[in-house]
Amino acid sequence: GTKKRVGQELATLTRAKSCDDLRSTLRRQAIDRMNEELDAKLAIALERPSGYCEPPMLEDVASAPPGGGASSTSSTNNQVEGVDEPDFLKNDSRYLYVLADGKLKVVQAWPAASSQVVGALPIAGTPRKLVLDGDRALVFSSVPSSQGESPGWRPPECTYGYDCDFVGDGTLLQLTWVDLEDRTHPRALRSVRFQGSYITARRVGSAVHTVVTFPGPKVPTVASWPDDIHSCQEKKYTEKELRSAFKRLREENLRILESADFSLPLPRFTEQSVGEGGTIAPLPYNLAECDSFYVSHAGDPASFLTLVSTDLGAPDTLNATVAVGRPGAVYSNGESLYVSARHSQDTTSGGWFFSQESGVPEASTVHRFSLSAQPPASEYRGSAAVKGRVLNQFAMDEHAGHFRIATTTGHLPSPDVHSTVTVLDPRDSGLVQVGQVDHLAPSEDIRSARFDGERGFVVTFKKTDPLFVLDLKDPAAPKVAGELKIPGFSTYMHLLDDNHLLSIGYDAQDMGNFAWFQGVLLQVFDISTPSAPTLQHKTVIGTRGSSSEALTQHLAFNYFRQKHLLALPMAVCEASRGGGSFGEQLTFNGLMVYRVDADTGFNYLGGVAHTPASTPDFPAQGACSNWWTQASTSVKRSVFMEDFVYSVAADSIHVANVAAPGTDVAVVPLY
């Protein structure tokens, strides 16, 4: 067998020398996975030679603004200022740019009362997101993975990794560069289709960096149980018979894997027609060649994790960095981009990141890429492995040259569940751990995290909501500065100002060994004294079953700091009997608008309703009984322009004055 890598050596990516070198590495990893699986199955067989009715189900080896606009407007709720995140809605001071009905639609939104669609451009596939920089836009679309395939159901985008993973939806990604100089006639400049799926992207100025996952090498599937060993029979196999059967199977599998060609479907794109005068390239182009690939040694079924960089002002610019490994959650501060991928000790071969004595069953590899704008490009800079799994992008942050990441190890209701905050130092040798707060909130898992300079905030939950304030001033000695325990939990935290946190989450009813979550909970915390955080204001919306898109999608959370206004998509359910009973009456589905101040708290200004409330004759029809991470709000986004709020649903935009949100100033149909 080959020498197993351990610790940081296992996490670090190494550059392939050639396609043959890449195939050789992938073949070795496949053989390692096969051997480890057969070792595990043989151990089970020796322990119970006839004790179960079929082989255990373990995975086989497999692949894997113009002038004349509003004087003040809200913008995309980006995690990092100056690092724009794609969304289906963008705006400047005069226009909204919305992806709807298969088109990029330009809505003249100012003056508010005359809001209307003034231009539209059909986009191939299903347009999902866009970024905007002046008169240029880049649209991200999904298209079926094969010709004639129906788009069908696709998993929703993973933004809150409590019960999903950041691996894409399996569709192909198409990028379309759009010229918006004439808003009434948007014009496609270039369109390319990738043989891979969109994960996420970031825009810094005119440079756009997109994370794409491509299908990995085709690895042959081999058997993991001998055909001549049958269970549920009176016959009990001897140790010699079992060892002989597994030896024959191992030899056959080795023959298959050593003779397989491990064909490499390199990450590719194809030029698409952009209309009259456009051309379709006769052959696909490779984004990169084998000798520029970085190879993971973690032993996961391989895919090509690719960082594609381009310039909105120069559509012919397309550069890529390719790593053979899993996709994951992404954080970027504009200078670096980090990908945190999940791993389980049960499914990782070739070694484990931690010693056997440490008892760490799951881990995250963190890969760092440096970003450049001229020309847009990326470069791999190093990796590390940390214990646990990351919840979302807000559980990661870089400050003063150090990377901080909050993770949870284990799953409720296991008593071994706990959380960890790890500090990494990016060095020439890779990412080096320099500090850690471990065993945070035993028996609870992370529901939200946020970093702010030398401070960190983590909310965990099982029955109550401990808000931990972390002192991160000394990277080598991070520590808990203060803690506050209250009912419920926060799923998203937002800095109201330097001394106050604004959060959205769920209220909870303590039942002793567990807690029922209840209505949607808005809170303001005073964090001016880190050692003694306090709850300053709180309001609960509806009862169990109420939901908001903003609970797990931060782009739906719209706090307009300039005017202290908060807009939230909300489905309000009432008439719950308490406990685990869902509310039976949907009393509101639309956008709720608040004025939020650290001194006075939450002042509800009113709601922009998009769908009618339920009645006994027209019940809620499932809108009030969703799983807590799945919202049923008809409104998805909102924009503020001066004293007007624009409430955006899939089919229409409602415009209202914040002084009277219940009265439409204009309605813009999108279909």
Side-chain angles (χ1 to χ4, degrees):
T2 57
K3 178 180 178 290
K4 290 187 177 182
R5 296 168 181 261
V6 295
Q8 292 305 117
E9 185 186 5
L10 184 64
T12 300
L13 308 180
T14 56
R15 195 160 187 159
K17 298 181 180 67
S18 64
C19 286
D20 286 343
D21 179 53
L22 180 57
R23 289 190 189 94
S24 175
T25 299
L26 297 171
R27 187 189 316 277
R28 185 179 68 249
Q29 291 179 354
I31 291 172
D32 286 345
R33 285 197 297 272
M34 181 270 296
N35 281 326
E36 289 197 358
E37 186 167 15
L38 290 191
D39 287 345
K41 296 280 186 74
L42 175 59
I44 293 172
L46 292 172
E47 194 173 307
R48 300 174 63 190
S50 62
Y52 41 82
C53 294
E54 57 186 41
M57 295 298 291
L58 298 181
E59 284 189 14
D60 289 338
V61 178
S63 61
S71 61
S72 61
T73 67
S74 62
S75 58
T76 303
N77 181 24
N78 298 311
Q79 179 181 5
V80 177
E81 186 176 355
V83 182
D84 190 39
E85 301 176 30
D87 198 7
F88 74 84
L89 170 71
K90 291 291 175 180
N91 69 284
D92 53 32
S93 62
R94 191 177 178 189
Y95 295 98
L96 304 182
Y97 307 86
V98 190
L99 298 176
D101 193 25
K103 302 178 181 69
L104 168 59
K105 297 197 172 187
V106 181
V107 178
Q108 182 178 309
W110 195 260
S114 57
S115 296
Q116 59 181 314
V117 175
V118 295
L121 174 68
I123 302 290
T126 304
R128 301 288 191 192
K129 295 176 181 291
L130 76 150
V131 289
L132 177 75
D133 182 40
D135 292 337
R136 289 290 175 90
L138 183 65
V139 179
F140 304 82
S141 307
S142 61
V143 295
S145 56
S146 62
Q147 202 165 20
E149 177 188 347
S150 170
W153 180 87
R154 297 290 179 185
E157 179 188 13
C158 185
T159 58
Y160 185 76
Y162 193 82
D163 47 13
C164 62
D165 200 358
F166 305 89
V167 293
D169 67 0
T171 60
L172 301 185
L173 168 65
Q174 183 155 317
L175 294 184
T176 304
W177 287 256
V178 180
D179 183 350
L180 289 164
E181 187 173 2
D182 180 356
R183 263 57 176 183
T184 62
H185 294 91
R187 185 169 61 94
L189 298 173
R190 187 190 189 192
S191 186
V192 300
R193 182 172 298 178
F194 297 92
Q195 298 303 308
S197 297
Y198 172 86
I199 300 296
T200 190
R202 297 293 186 269
R203 178 187 66 83
V204 184
S206 62
V208 181
H209 306 278
T210 305
V211 182
V212 189
T213 181
F214 290 83
K218 295 177 181 177
V219 180
T221 299
V222 292
S224 59
W225 191 265
D227 287 338
D228 51 349
I229 299 295
H230 305 285
S231 303
C232 276
Q233 297 182 2
E234 291 184 6
K235 172 180 172 60
K236 289 190 177 182
Y237 297 97
T238 64
E239 179 178 342
K240 182 179 179 180
E241 288 173 324
L242 290 172
R243 289 191 183 279
S244 295
F246 274 89
K247 181 182 178 183
R248 289 192 297 273
L249 177 60
R250 195 184 305 266
E251 291 170 348
E252 174 60 18
N253 286 349
L254 194 60
R255 185 191 64 77
I256 294 171
L257 292 174
E258 287 184 338
S259 62
D261 63 1
F262 280 79
S263 59
L264 299 172
L266 300 182
R268 292 177 173 180
F269 70 92
T270 305
E271 202 80 25
Q272 303 296 301
S273 172
V274 294
E276 199 171 326
T279 59
I280 299 178
L283 294 171
Y285 297 97
N286 290 342
L287 274 166
E289 300 302 330
C290 298
D291 59 1
S292 65
F293 286 20
Y294 291 90
V295 182
S296 166
H297 299 277
D300 291 313
S303 60
F304 291 121
L305 175 67
T306 306
L307 190 49
V308 179
S309 301
T310 188
D311 193 317
L312 278 172
D316 57 335
T317 304
L318 214 59
N319 297 312
T321 299
V322 183
V324 183
R326 288 173 52 81
V330 172
Y331 163 83
S332 177
N333 63 357
E335 297 176 354
S336 297
L337 184 144
Y338 293 84
V339 180
S340 174
R342 299 173 179 178
H343 302 267
S344 168
Q345 187 174 11
D346 294 336
T347 59
T348 299
S349 63
W352 182 236
F353 307 105
F354 301 94
S355 66
Q356 193 71 30
E357 298 75 30
S358 67
V360 178
E362 55 186 324
S364 296
T365 49
V366 179
H367 303 306
R368 175 177 173 252
F369 300 86
S370 62
L371 304 179
S372 59
Q374 296 295 332
S378 61
E379 188 173 347
Y380 171 69
R381 291 296 189 186
S383 303
V386 297
K387 64 185 296 190
R389 64 189 181 279
V390 70
L391 177 68
N392 59 11
Q393 66 189 64
F394 290 95
M396 298 182 284
D397 175 81
E398 187 179 84
H399 174 71
H402 287 87
F403 180 74
R404 295 85 65 89
I405 181 170
T407 54
T408 293
T409 300
H411 296 267
L412 292 176
S414 168
D416 296 329
V417 172
H418 64 279
S419 296
T420 308
V421 175
T422 305
V423 182
L424 301 172
D425 183 8
R427 300 177 184 172
D428 291 341
S429 59
L431 296 171
V432 178
Q433 179 177 317
V434 294
Q436 189 177 77
V437 179
D438 202 2
H439 292 280
L440 191 67
S443 81
E444 300 188 348
D445 54 19
I446 292 177
R447 299 298 171 96
S448 64
R450 191 85 196 225
F451 293 92
D452 178 48
E454 296 177 347
R455 302 179 297 181
F457 309 96
V458 174
V459 167
T460 61
F461 182 72
K462 183 180 180 184
K463 297 192 304 175
T464 57
D465 173 355
L467 167 66
F468 294 96
V469 181
L470 302 173
D471 179 353
L472 304 173
K473 187 173 184 178
D474 181 356
K479 60 186 178 182
V480 175
E483 179 182 348
L484 173 67
K485 288 191 176 181
I486 49 177
F489 61 93
S490 303
T491 56
Y492 173 72
M493 293 183 282
H494 193 91
L495 267 296
L496 189 64
D497 57 42
D498 288 344
N499 294 316
H500 296 89
L501 268 180
L502 168 63
S503 77
I504 184 172
Y506 282 107
D507 198 15
Q509 180 182 351
D510 193 337
M511 300 299 293
N513 293 328
F514 68 99
W516 295 113
F517 70 87
Q518 299 296 318
V520 174
L521 177 65
L522 302 179
Q523 299 174 109
V524 173
F525 298 97
D526 185 333
I527 52 173
S528 57
T529 305
S531 60
T534 59
L535 175 62
Q536 196 159 342
H537 303 287
K538 165 184 173 179
T539 188
V540 179
I541 303 168
T543 60
R544 183 176 173 86
S546 301
S547 64
S548 172
E549 185 86 357
L551 282 159
T552 58
Q553 170 55 277
H554 67 281
L555 299 178
F557 187 99
N558 184 8
Y559 178 65
F560 190 21
R561 179 171 296 185
Q562 189 169 341
K563 291 184 176 287
H564 304 286
L565 293 171
L566 174 66
L568 298 170
M570 196 71 66
V572 183
C573 300
E574 305 282 3
S576 166
R577 296 185 298 277
S581 165
F582 286 89
E584 298 176 354
Q585 187 176 354
L586 180 68
T587 58
F588 177 82
N589 201 342
L591 187 77
M592 299 181 76
V593 183
Y594 289 83
R595 197 174 300 281
V596 183
D597 184 87
D599 294 326
T600 59
F602 298 95
N603 177 20
Y604 181 51
L605 302 181
V608 183
H610 276 245
T611 57
S614 62
T615 66
D617 294 331
F618 297 96
Q621 294 181 331
C624 291
S625 57
N626 282 351
W627 174 241
W628 67 273
T629 59
Q630 302 297 320
S632 55
T633 43
S634 55
V635 172
K636 303 300 181 186
R637 302 289 188 273
S638 62
V639 171
F640 287 110
M641 288 191 175
E642 294 190 7
D643 293 323
F644 293 88
V645 63
Y646 299 73
S647 177
V648 184
D651 59 350
S652 62
I653 301 172
H654 288 231
V655 187
N657 193 300
V658 295
T663 303
D664 290 332
V665 171
V667 176
V668 182
L670 294 177
Y671 278 81

